[in-house]
Amino acid sequence: MYFELRILTENDKNIIEHFFEEASDYAILESGESNPQLECESLLNDLPPEKTKSDKFVYGIFNDKSILIGLVDLVKDFPTKGEFMLGLLEFVPEVRHQGLGKAVHEILVEKVRHLGANSLRIGVLEVNIAALKFWKSLGYIKFKETELEFGSKKQKIDVMRLNLRD
């Protein structure tokens, strides 16, 4: 399947909000509700402590018709130098389970290696069994558990890491 990665900005709010409407199942799983406008603001603006906008990369994944079919959120050197936090890799339902996630991940690995990454980190909802299986298949290893609140839901999170250096 053809796809193209492009950096997204505030100018892309309309297509990002539309994406979150189409892919509302994840927000509902995570927090119990979908709010595309809030999710868009969060994607574009939320940063960990001590991080700036220059540390954050938001990519849109576009199909051959230039329709936004996926999103990526990366934060450089978080929580430590050389580790990148993959905050989001999400697709609209109709393109899932077709190998797109793996293909996009391969490109992301090359991009972050170029930027000095030694590892990638991701937090995965324990209730998201398919996602846990996906990340494990890419070589991610769980190294801790935590619990976070999303809206009115408390979620257990498996924190996983992929070592990028031999």
Side-chain angles (χ1 to χ4, degrees), residues 2 4-5 10 33 37 51 71 78 82 102 131 134 152:
Y2 171 87
E4 180 183 349
L5 284 180
E10 295 282 331
E33 61 186 11
Q37 187 177 6
K51 294 278 111 189
L71 292 173
F78 182 78
K102 184 176 180 185
F134 170 75
S152 60

Side-chain angles (χ1 to χ4, degrees), residues 5-164:
L5 284 180
R6 295 185 217 153
I7 290 284
L8 297 177
T9 68
E10 295 282 331
N11 296 332
D12 298 304
K13 280 184 176 183
N14 287 342
I15 62 169
I16 296 169
E17 286 179 19
H18 179 73
F19 172 88
F20 282 125
E21 288 171 13
E22 296 291 312
S24 63
D25 59 327
Y26 179 75
I28 292 167
L29 176 70
E30 181 184 70
S31 69
E33 61 186 11
S34 173
N35 183 333
Q37 187 177 6
L38 186 62
E39 292 165 60
C40 176
E41 289 297 324
S42 175
L43 174 74
L44 291 172
N45 299 307
D46 285 1
L47 287 165
E50 315 286 319
K51 294 278 111 189
T52 66
K53 286 255 189 186
S54 65
D55 296 315
K56 185 177 178 86
F57 305 91
V58 178
Y59 292 99
I61 305 161
F62 293 86
N63 68 10
D64 58 348
K65 296 180 177 108
S66 288
I67 296 170
L68 182 64
I69 58 170
L71 292 173
V72 175
D73 177 30
L74 274 171
V75 178
K76 179 181 179 180
D77 295 329
F78 182 78
T80 59
K81 185 163 179 57
E83 185 158 74
F84 280 50
M85 180 69 178
L86 185 52
L88 181 71
L89 176 60
E90 184 177 358
F91 296 94
V92 292
E94 55 270 17
V95 302
R96 294 177 190 160
H97 310 292
Q98 298 177 29
L100 196 54
K102 184 176 180 185
V104 168
H105 184 263
E106 287 173 8
I107 291 170
L108 292 175
V109 165
E110 289 310 308
K111 283 184 179 294
V112 299
R113 276 190 173 134
H114 251 68
L115 294 168
N118 298 316
S119 61
L120 271 167
R121 162 193 283 234
I122 187 162
V124 184
L125 301 175
E126 282 188 357
V127 297
N128 195 344
I129 304 302
L132 287 170
K133 183 178 173 186
F134 170 75
W135 294 111
K136 285 178 187 174
S137 78
L138 295 177
Y140 284 76
I141 297 167
K142 176 181 168 180
F143 67 94
K144 75 174 188 178
E145 287 180 20
T146 191
E147 195 170 270
L148 294 173
E149 275 192 43
F150 299 95
S152 60
K153 277 187 165 182
K154 268 191 180 173
Q155 295 279 10
K156 289 186 180 178
I157 309 291
D158 286 356
V159 184
M160 305 173 84
R161 179 181 290 133
L162 177 67
N163 184 7
L164 302 177

